[in-house]
Amino acid sequence: MHKHDQTIAVDAAVLTVSDSRTKENDASGSLIQNLLTKHGHSTIAYSIMKDEQSLISRTVTGWCENRSIQAIIVTGGTGFSPRDVTYEAVSRLFDKEMNGFGELFRSLSYDEIGPKAMFSRAAAGSLDGRAIYLLPGSENAVKLGMEKLILPTIQHFIEELNRL
């Protein structure tokens, strides 16, 4: 089994994609930041933006140009409504997609919400040496993704991306 350095503190950026959330009512974005802090990581960039594909893509690629950002966690816009464009905006940017992330997220989500879990387009991948995660916008989905998938593996993901 691959071991990883559990003492690595990851510097992350958090993006909430929503037409209605503000910093005052962004429970999912706040939860991501709080869980990162609780596990010894930090949020060095945070933004909320509307479900606009070009804005989302530009933000993610801009954050990838910032060498201090190691991971980007996006919440919202991963469903099937016409305004949900996060997956389209980000997945096409991936150097590599981590297929297992979405598969495991939907499997774990199925245990909680049943067949509606298949409507989630949660995903993860890498871009320019950065770990990128796409989570649904609900607090329960964020809690599930962060606690069961992201926090147990983010340090290993960063190490793998920096391996020569």
Side-chain angles (χ1 to χ4, degrees), residues 17-19 50-52 56 77 79-86:
V17 176
S18 173
D19 288 336
K50 303 236 181 266
D51 293 89
E52 298 292 339
I56 298 164
F80 277 87
S81 80
R83 296 288 296 152
D84 290 330
V85 296
T86 298

Side-chain angles (χ1 to χ4, degrees), residues 48-61:
I48 299 175
M49 68 184 41
K50 303 236 181 266
D51 293 89
E52 298 292 339
Q53 195 167 338
S54 62
L55 291 174
I56 298 164
S57 295
R58 275 197 310 269
T59 299
V60 170
T61 56

Side-chain angles (χ1 to χ4, degrees), residues 9-154:
V10 175
D11 291 326
V14 177
L15 175 62
T16 297
V17 176
S18 173
D19 288 336
S20 60
R21 299 224 178 125
T22 65
K23 289 189 179 184
E24 292 74 35
N25 68 9
D26 181 20
S28 294
S30 294
L31 180 58
I32 292 168
Q33 293 176 76
N34 291 337
L35 288 169
L36 285 168
T37 300
K38 179 181 174 184
H39 287 84
H41 309 300
S42 61
T43 302
I44 61 173
Y46 167 65
S47 187
I48 299 175
M49 68 184 41
K50 303 236 181 266
D51 293 89
E52 298 292 339
Q53 195 167 338
S54 62
L55 291 174
I56 298 164
S57 295
R58 275 197 310 269
T59 299
V60 170
T61 56
W63 280 347
C64 285
E65 292 171 5
N66 180 340
R67 289 286 152 208
S68 61
I69 293 174
Q70 299 169 291
I72 299 169
I73 304 172
V74 183
T75 178
T78 61
F80 277 87
S81 80
R83 296 288 296 152
D84 290 330
V85 296
T86 298
Y87 183 82
E88 289 77 13
V90 181
S91 66
R92 65 183 176 84
L93 302 173
F94 287 156
D95 294 326
K96 293 183 179 181
E97 186 165 356
M98 184 185 296
N99 296 324
F101 180 86
E103 294 163 358
L104 281 170
F105 180 87
R106 284 180 286 280
S107 177
L108 292 167
S109 185
Y110 179 84
D111 293 340
E112 291 186 6
I113 65 169
K116 290 181 184 175
M118 70 182 147
F119 289 94
S120 168
R121 295 186 300 153
S126 63
L127 173 61
D128 196 24
R130 306 301 180 286
I132 301 175
Y133 303 92
L134 310 179
L135 294 171
S138 78
E139 280 183 83
N140 286 343
V142 164
K143 185 176 190 302
L144 173 77
M146 290 295 292
E147 291 181 347
K148 298 284 187 178
L149 300 174
I150 296 173
L151 291 168
T153 63
I154 193 168

